[in-house]
Amino acid sequence: MTWYLSAYAVFWAVLFGYLMGVSNRQQKLVERAEHLTRRLSESATDAKGGSRS
Amino acid sequence: MGWRAAGAILVKDLRLELRRVETVATMVVFAVLVALIFVFAGDPTPADLRRLGPGALWVSLLFAGALGFGRWFAQEERNQALQGLLVSPVDRAALFAGKWAGAIVFLLALECALVPATVTMYQLDLRGAWGELALLLVVVTVGYSALGTFFAAVAARTTAGELLLPILLFPLSVPLLLAGAEGGQALIEGGRLGDYWSWLSLAAAFDVIFGTVCTLAFEYVIEE
Amino acid sequence: MRWWPRSWRQFWSTLDGRTYHMMLSARPWIGWLAVGSMVIVFALVFWWVPLEAIQGYPQKIFYIHVPSAWVMYAAFGVVFASSILYLWKRTSLWDIFARCAAEVGFLFTTLALATGMLWGKPIWGTFWTWDARLTSTLILWFIYGGYMLVRAFARPDAEVARLAAVVGIIGFLDVPIIHLSVLWWRTLHPQPVVMIIDDPGGGLPASMLITLLASLVAVSLVFAWLWIQRVWQERTAENLALLEALLERRERSAR
């Protein structure tokens, strides 16, 4: 009985671990997109501010 | 253009290698040492020896080959010789065929020394089936050289080349290893020629398939 | 995006885009479908399907072991097909399909090995025997691993995608031959105990067959979901990198 339960437990644990990895990567992507958006808006306001004509 | 180029590459490789016979000799020594190490590691009884013998022969060959393939390609990369070859109008498939043939010749030379050494060390009695063993050796060598040459080129393009070559090569060579070891075993046990021929055909089919695939795929590896 | 292409040439050239488009459409709901079906399968395994006479409880591992192995092969098939298409069409999407399938496939290979070993311990008494299927699975694990190592260690100037594609293609072609040779090897030197229940010719009772099929579907959905997620992530990362580079260039020229 134990082996059968531990096999299922291991199956879920490994899948769950991988899912954690996937959502970590997701988080980093979101942060990167945020950062990029911020830089883009800064750069846009700079251009409007008129450092060059 | 194709065949003559392949021949030229083969001759060039052979000439380069023969100028420094030490390389082949060193590989022979290495291979025999591996076979030796197995004996020390296992402390086999005479019966064990005869069972392990064919396996030890092939393992030594596989290891020596893995070392050799890496070096033969490293040689080219080192003095930009490969770049020179690529600039010339040589068909990629012919280039592969030349290197493949070179690898076969070197491994066969290695086997000429390795087989007698292993047969002696492991007290193997081939019951006169030397021709069959030779045939098996040739067929397995042809296939192993194809994979080895191919993955040496792939591994040379990575930063962990020397480590990566065996990692890529060994799992894919399992059918050849099994064919060699089991075929050899069948010869030694005698009266199992049917098994021997089955394994030989497997190895031959392997050669045909992977010889073709590797030759065709080689241009994708060395595309620059 | 037009669904029916105008010609064969257009079919193959737009296949990556259309596939990606379909994957994106599936992304919102496929995860829920996967989870839901896994829950159903669990319920079937724990409460419905009968206990097998000879092996007892450990036999139930069969219902996650076999689907994991099936997905392992399917994933490798995806790697194979995507690698060929990459070498032909050279678009980044085909490379993304291949490397994500390899990653998730490696995961399921590990699961197949782990569940196989945990099944073996109560049945055979040891975690490992050189049984034909387990051995072949182990070799496949190494082939997948090698594929990923090539990607990890490729030099920046060498085209990673190209090298990996070639390795993926050759690896996949070897798999049936490896299987055959390992099977012959094991037939010559038979192991004392053989897993009785997963011989398809043996005839599975209906309840077990249903559970197995349900599990196959559920685990395949999990694979599809994970693969789609990873592909989407990789594509997005690629797009972000492109945008960052553009921004970099714009900022530099503005200075």
Side-chain angles (χ1 to χ4, degrees):
Chain A
M1 180 73 145
T2 23
W3 295 108
Y4 145 64
L5 292 174
S6 48
Y8 277 81
V10 164
F11 184 85
W12 277 121
V14 171
L15 265 180
F16 193 70
Y18 186 70
L19 275 166
M20 286 293 102
V22 170
S23 45
N24 263 335
R25 217 183 275 244
Q26 190 72 12
Q27 190 56 28
K28 292 213 182 71
L29 277 177
V30 169
E31 284 168 15
R32 210 167 139 193
E34 289 284 319
H35 186 68
L36 184 62
T37 315
R38 227 177 311 125
R39 277 172 68 195
L40 269 168
S41 58
E42 277 170 20
S43 142
T45 51
D46 276 346
K48 278 214 189 84
S51 47
R52 303 183 100 236
S53 49
Chain B
M1 178 64 78
W3 292 119
R4 236 179 315 131
I9 292 166
L10 171 62
V11 169
K12 168 193 74 83
D13 275 343
L14 282 174
R15 214 181 290 146
L16 261 173
E17 204 55 41
L18 287 174
R19 230 177 276 159
R20 312 171 66 241
V21 187
E22 305 95 62
T23 333
V24 184
T26 320
M27 269 176 51
V28 173
V29 172
F30 173 75
V32 175
L33 275 173
V34 172
L36 189 70
I37 284 173
F38 268 100
V39 179
F40 288 136
D43 190 18
T45 65
D48 287 336
L49 275 179
R50 251 157 283 154
R51 236 180 352 98
L52 293 174
L57 167 66
W58 293 104
V59 170
S60 315
L61 190 63
L62 242 59
F63 280 0
L67 276 186
F69 297 137
R71 294 191 64 251
W72 294 324
F73 249 100
Q75 217 171 38
E76 300 272 325
E77 298 275 312
R78 214 177 297 129
N79 33 352
Q80 304 286 341
L82 190 61
Q83 251 68 350
L85 270 172
L86 286 174
V87 167
S88 70
V90 175
D91 180 20
R92 302 293 187 256
L95 178 55
F96 179 76
K99 301 228 67 108
W100 179 15
I104 295 175
V105 170
F106 289 133
L107 280 184
L108 287 178
L110 174 64
E111 285 155 22
C112 290
L114 183 60
V115 172
T118 319
V119 167
T120 316
M121 281 198 289
Y122 286 80
Q123 303 167 16
L124 300 175
D125 173 20
L126 276 160
R127 305 157 195 266
W130 289 98
E132 282 86 347
L133 182 63
L135 184 59
L136 187 60
L137 277 164
V138 168
V139 174
V140 171
T141 305
V142 165
Y144 190 54
S145 303
L147 283 183
T149 313
F150 187 84
F151 284 109
V154 170
R157 273 155 183 71
T158 67
T159 52
E162 268 152 30
L163 289 178
L164 216 50
L165 175 57
I167 292 177
L168 292 172
L169 189 56
F170 289 161
L172 296 173
S173 308
V174 162
L176 287 177
L177 175 59
L178 283 177
E182 291 297 316
Q185 193 66 38
L187 289 177
I188 288 173
E189 283 175 16
R192 280 177 48 207
L193 271 177
D195 286 342
Y196 165 81
W197 287 112
S198 308
W199 286 113
L200 187 70
S201 345
L202 180 74
F206 189 97
D207 288 359
V208 169
I209 296 173
F210 286 98
T212 322
V213 172
C214 290
T215 312
L216 294 175
F218 192 65
E219 63 168 292
Y220 294 107
V221 176
I222 61 176
E223 208 178 278
E224 248 356 299
Chain C
M1 185 165 277
R2 155 190 255 150
W3 190 80
W4 192 252
R6 242 178 285 127
S7 66
W8 273 121
R9 186 212 190 99
Q10 204 196 45
F11 176 84
W12 291 110
S13 301
T14 57
L15 186 60
D16 59 342
R18 281 180 292 115
T19 311
Y20 184 58
H21 190 73
M22 279 196 285
M23 289 163 79
L24 285 183
S25 320
R27 211 171 68 84
W29 48 264
I30 198 166
W32 296 112
L33 196 64
V35 169
S37 49
M38 282 304 272
V39 167
I40 293 176
V41 166
F42 261 36
L44 287 176
V45 170
F46 277 85
W47 287 302
W48 184 65
V49 83
L51 218 51
E52 200 258 341
I54 305 163
Q55 296 180 32
Y57 278 108
Q59 182 271 341
K60 292 199 171 193
I61 299 176
F62 167 74
Y63 302 110
I64 47 171
H65 173 73
V66 171
S68 297
W70 146 250
V71 164
M72 163 181 86
Y73 290 116
F76 216 160
V78 174
V79 173
F80 177 66
S82 306
S83 296
I84 290 185
L85 273 148
Y86 175 77
L87 288 179
W88 183 18
K89 291 295 176 185
R90 305 294 172 115
T91 66
S92 144
L93 266 179
W94 286 119
D95 181 52
I96 292 178
F97 290 161
R99 70 172 180 263
C100 295
E103 191 181 298
V104 185
F106 183 72
L107 175 77
F108 278 97
T109 311
T110 313
L111 284 175
L113 276 174
T115 50
M117 286 167 65
L118 288 169
W119 189 2
K121 177 68 169 153
I123 302 294
W124 298 317
T126 91
F127 281 114
W128 190 266
T129 68
W130 294 97
D131 151 77
R133 264 233 319 274
L134 218 51
T135 310
S136 296
T137 309
L138 183 63
I139 297 176
L140 193 54
W141 191 83
F142 280 110
I143 299 180
Y144 262 126
Y147 175 91
M148 296 196 304
L149 285 173
V150 166
R151 293 205 98 108
F153 284 109
R155 278 202 211 101
D157 57 322
E159 225 200 287
V160 190
R162 203 176 7 104
L163 282 182
V166 158
V167 173
I169 290 172
I170 294 196
F172 181 80
L173 288 174
D174 208 352
V175 167
I177 305 179
I178 291 174
H179 256 293
L180 186 63
S181 57
V182 171
L183 198 61
W184 277 11
W185 179 58
R186 271 292 149 253
T187 340
L188 281 174
H189 312 279
Q191 294 292 94
V193 182
V194 161
M195 264 187 229
I196 317 142
I197 199 63
D198 53 44
D199 179 340
L204 230 47
S207 57
M208 292 189 179
L209 192 61
I210 292 173
T211 316
L212 178 64
L213 289 175
S215 188
L216 268 170
V217 169
V219 175
S220 304
L221 283 172
V222 172
F223 167 75
W225 173 43
L226 291 174
W227 183 52
I228 290 174
Q229 280 295 116
R230 288 294 296 124
V231 166
W232 178 65
Q233 284 180 344
E234 290 296 302
R235 182 57 156 184
T236 307
E238 203 180 70
N239 289 338
L240 281 176
L242 200 65
L243 288 170
E244 282 162 1
L246 279 170
L247 183 61
E248 200 68 29
R249 214 186 311 151
R250 201 216 282 178
E251 284 181 344
R252 220 177 299 136
S253 63
R255 254 176 246 134

